[in-house]
Amino acid sequence: MADATVTLPRSTPRRRGGVASLNTGTAFGVGIATLWLSLLILVPLGAVVWRAQRDGLGSFWDAVTTPQAVAAIRLTVVCALLVAVVNAVLGTLIAWVLVRDDFHGKRLVDAIIDLPFALPTIVAGLVLLTLYGVHSPVGLELAYTRAGVVVALLFVTLPFVVRTVQPVLREFDGEMEQAAASLGASSFTIFRRIVLPNLLPAISAGTALAFARAISEFGATVLIAGNLPVASVHIFTQIETDNTVGAAAVATVLLVIALIVLIGLDLLQRWAARHA
Amino acid sequence: MPKYALRSVALGYLTLLVGVPVGLIFWRTFEHGLKPVIDSLTDPSVLHAFRVTAIVALWAVLLNTVFGVGVAVLLVRHRFPGRRLLSVLVDLPIAVSPVVVGLALILVYGRHAPIGGWLTDHGVKVIFAYPGMVLATMFVSLPLVVREVAPVLEEIGIEQEQAAWTLGANRLQTFRRVTLPAIRWALAYGVVLTLARSLGEYGAVAVVSGRLIGKTQTATLVVEERFQNFDQGTAYAVSVTLALVAIVVLILINVLRPKEHT
């Protein structure tokens, strides 16, 4: 599951052999694909941005600076940042354990990592509410709290860092580590000076994707958030009350944040590829 | 010693975050036996919701499979201006909130929008009907087939396809006899992922379907509606059914994945 969602933007690789030039067949295919993607994605997303500024930039600004909108954007970004940091640390740790450690049931644990991607998000929300909701059997009532939102986001973003770091760690041979150890480096120094720098591009890629997912999540947070202003829940409420301009304005802010993260990620990957 | 510390942190985190909650929902569902679960699942509106989910998912998977293979071939085998832009467009849905997807479709295909108004005048209802739900589902699952098939197409190169051409095979024959067998595992993987995403979509469908019980309500929408209306038994039963589908998908993925590398 993760492999699909975690496919990273990358620079164009070199192709083997020749490639068909722009002939009628290609032009026809490109035409169909462009038309299709325009009708499905480009025009609708354009319409969101267009609707956000329909009554002028001033009213766009008014819509995103209402107290509810500001609270929603702030809460969402803060929670997403927290989720990104936890994922960066624990995701790397889990990937490490899954690659370098060996124990009974490792394959099962490895398969469970993908469960949050396979599970419908609304079911994920319900599942967490059963354990951490009102009348929590473990005495942890996180429903309708920020902590609850963070736990829901941690659940749905679990696979991102694990699945981007895992293959890199698997490729990474132990020779450098052995060399460092033979020169007297402590295991902490080896991790800090040898392993971490090599994993950093993968960790940041996974973290960026987890952050992008966290700011846009709806299904997992809608039940657990209650009256807390989460950005996507705020947008949903605005749509339901027919305030499409307000919905579109906050949606545009989310789209811009996501776009910045994806472009930043692309630049980072190119930089890493050049310095590899 | 640090090895065991790391292992316990990792396993402890996974247990608390995934293991216990998922286990608990199964226990809660079946704590009063099988009968209430079966009663919940055979409720007419629940059965109808599963039917709606199946119809929407099948259309989305079918269209995204055909389109996904087409775009993958286009991106890998052809050079044209704007190729990089097309590739970015295909990835875009990953970063868009499902609610925003729903809003975007309403703003274009709603009754009061230009395209939606024109379609309504010609008898095609998109929003609050199947077409809109299929569009929303396709939007969110768009990259899955493309991103599985494209790297494999890249990997296999074009020597075999060229050999087929020189031996007189036409485009369709080449695709059917040479390309398709080579990408079949990646394609199967992509289709399974698309199916899982389609069956589980909630946010985008919640916006465009209008959530009409017995009409456009899908299985995931039933979960939310029943939970809000304090019918937790049905919410749990439908959730567990969807979770079981997810687990089957996981097993399929684990069966399909090794074959990709051979």
Side-chain angles (χ1 to χ4, degrees):
Chain A
M1 208 82 186
D3 289 359
T5 328
V6 179
T7 308
L8 304 171
R10 55 192 168 152
S11 52
T12 318
R14 290 187 66 82
R15 233 136 289 264
R16 287 191 228 157
V19 158
S21 58
L22 193 63
N23 54 31
T24 29
T26 312
F28 183 68
V30 173
I32 299 262
T34 311
L35 182 70
W36 184 238
L37 285 173
S38 301
L39 285 176
L40 187 64
I41 293 179
L42 213 50
V43 173
L45 287 183
V48 171
V49 178
W50 185 252
R51 176 61 61 101
Q53 59 81 61
R54 185 184 65 175
D55 309 324
L57 279 177
S59 71
F60 166 75
W61 188 248
D62 289 342
V64 294
T65 50
T66 61
Q68 297 100 314
V70 170
I73 294 168
R74 185 185 293 153
L75 177 85
T76 307
V77 170
V78 169
C79 286
L81 282 175
L82 193 62
V83 165
V85 172
V86 174
N87 266 313
V89 176
L90 284 175
T92 308
L93 193 151
I94 293 170
W96 177 275
V97 169
L98 285 177
V99 173
R100 293 290 175 90
D101 203 352
D102 211 2
F103 51 91
H104 281 294
K106 198 172 101 166
R107 270 191 66 110
L108 181 71
V109 175
D110 194 64
I112 281 177
I113 300 291
D114 283 329
L115 193 60
F117 272 159
L119 207 63
T121 52
I122 189 77
V123 175
L126 186 68
V127 159
L128 291 172
L129 213 51
T130 312
L131 184 60
Y132 300 116
V134 188
H135 311 304
S136 159
V138 289
L140 263 177
E141 291 198 11
L142 301 179
Y144 321 129
T145 67
R146 282 150 198 263
V149 173
V150 170
V151 170
L153 294 177
L154 283 175
F155 184 91
V156 293
T157 55
L158 168 71
F160 285 102
V161 174
V162 182
R163 290 299 188 229
T164 39
V165 172
Q166 230 178 345
V168 181
L169 205 51
R170 216 175 277 139
E171 298 277 298
F172 187 64
D173 56 17
E175 271 177 38
M176 273 196 282
E177 287 164 72
Q178 279 162 15
S182 70
L183 293 169
S186 70
S187 56
F188 179 69
T189 312
I190 296 174
F191 180 76
R192 197 168 53 86
R193 303 283 295 272
I194 310 281
V195 181
L196 198 57
N198 280 287
L199 292 184
L200 217 47
I203 295 175
S204 42
T207 308
L209 289 170
F211 177 79
R213 174 71 195 264
I215 57 165
S216 61
E217 181 53 37
F218 176 64
T221 47
V222 68
L223 294 178
I224 219 164
N227 288 326
L228 278 181
V230 174
S232 52
V233 180
H234 174 78
I235 297 172
F236 188 74
T237 317
Q238 301 305 310
I239 298 170
E240 297 280 279
T241 51
D242 247 348
N243 177 13
T244 49
V245 175
V250 178
T252 303
V253 174
L254 286 193
L255 283 176
V256 169
I257 297 176
L259 214 57
I260 291 172
V261 171
L262 286 190
I263 291 172
L265 184 60
D266 194 40
L267 292 177
L268 183 87
Q269 304 254 298
R270 285 152 176 262
W271 182 86
R274 237 179 302 129
H275 290 78
Chain B
M1 209 52 199
K3 197 174 96 172
Y4 292 106
L6 289 179
R7 189 194 294 175
S8 6
V9 171
L11 293 182
Y13 180 69
L14 290 175
T15 308
L16 284 179
L17 193 66
V18 184
V20 177
V22 174
L24 188 65
I25 200 175
F26 274 87
W27 186 74
R28 274 283 154 83
T29 307
F30 295 110
E31 66 183 331
H32 303 298
L34 210 56
K35 180 140 188 334
V37 178
I38 292 173
D39 287 347
S40 299
L41 291 178
T42 47
D43 179 86
S45 67
V46 173
L47 282 177
H48 186 270
F50 275 114
R51 246 179 65 107
V52 174
T53 293
I55 293 171
V56 170
L58 280 181
W59 276 106
V61 168
L62 189 71
L63 290 168
N64 265 351
T65 304
V66 173
F67 179 76
V69 173
V71 168
V73 169
L74 208 56
L75 285 176
V76 175
R77 294 279 186 264
H78 299 268
R79 280 288 168 284
F80 51 89
R83 189 174 147 274
R84 212 180 131 74
L85 192 70
L86 191 70
S87 170
V88 171
L89 258 185
V90 169
D91 278 332
L92 200 58
I94 293 173
V96 180
S97 172
V99 185
V100 177
V101 172
L103 173 68
L105 292 174
I106 283 187
L107 290 179
V108 174
Y109 298 105
R111 205 148 41 88
H112 302 295
I115 299 182
W118 184 84
L119 285 170
T120 313
D121 290 343
H122 290 75
V124 183
K125 199 176 167 203
V126 179
I127 299 301
F128 303 151
Y130 280 108
M133 296 159 76
V134 173
L135 279 180
T137 309
M138 284 177 61
F139 191 124
V140 296
S141 58
L142 183 76
L144 299 174
V145 169
V146 184
R147 291 301 160 209
E148 290 307 319
V149 171
V152 179
L153 275 178
E154 189 112 36
E155 188 81 23
I156 58 176
I158 58 167
E159 283 86 2
Q160 293 186 350
E161 289 170 20
Q162 278 176 332
W165 287 331
T166 56
L167 293 170
N170 63 31
R171 268 164 178 263
L172 191 68
Q173 282 172 320
T174 312
F175 178 77
R176 203 165 54 84
R177 305 285 288 270
V178 179
T179 314
L180 200 56
I183 62 170
R184 66 177 186 271
W185 290 115
L187 184 60
Y189 190 55
V191 168
V192 170
L193 292 179
T194 309
L195 184 67
R197 190 78 174 82
S198 304
L199 293 174
E201 180 48 32
Y202 171 72
V205 170
V207 176
V208 298
S209 70
R211 299 181 287 169
L212 308 169
I213 298 169
K215 285 195 176 132
T216 59
Q217 195 182 41
T218 62
T220 49
L221 296 176
V222 165
V223 173
E224 191 260 357
E225 185 250 326
R226 293 301 167 99
F227 182 78
Q228 305 282 21
N229 291 324
F230 305 105
D231 179 6
Q232 301 209 339
T234 307
Y236 284 143
V238 176
S239 288
V240 160
T241 312
L242 289 169
L244 284 173
V245 173
I247 289 168
V248 170
V249 166
L250 278 189
I251 294 170
L252 275 179
I253 285 171
N254 275 301
V255 172
L256 291 174
R257 190 180 280 157
K259 297 205 168 115
E260 267 174 84
H261 300 298
T262 54

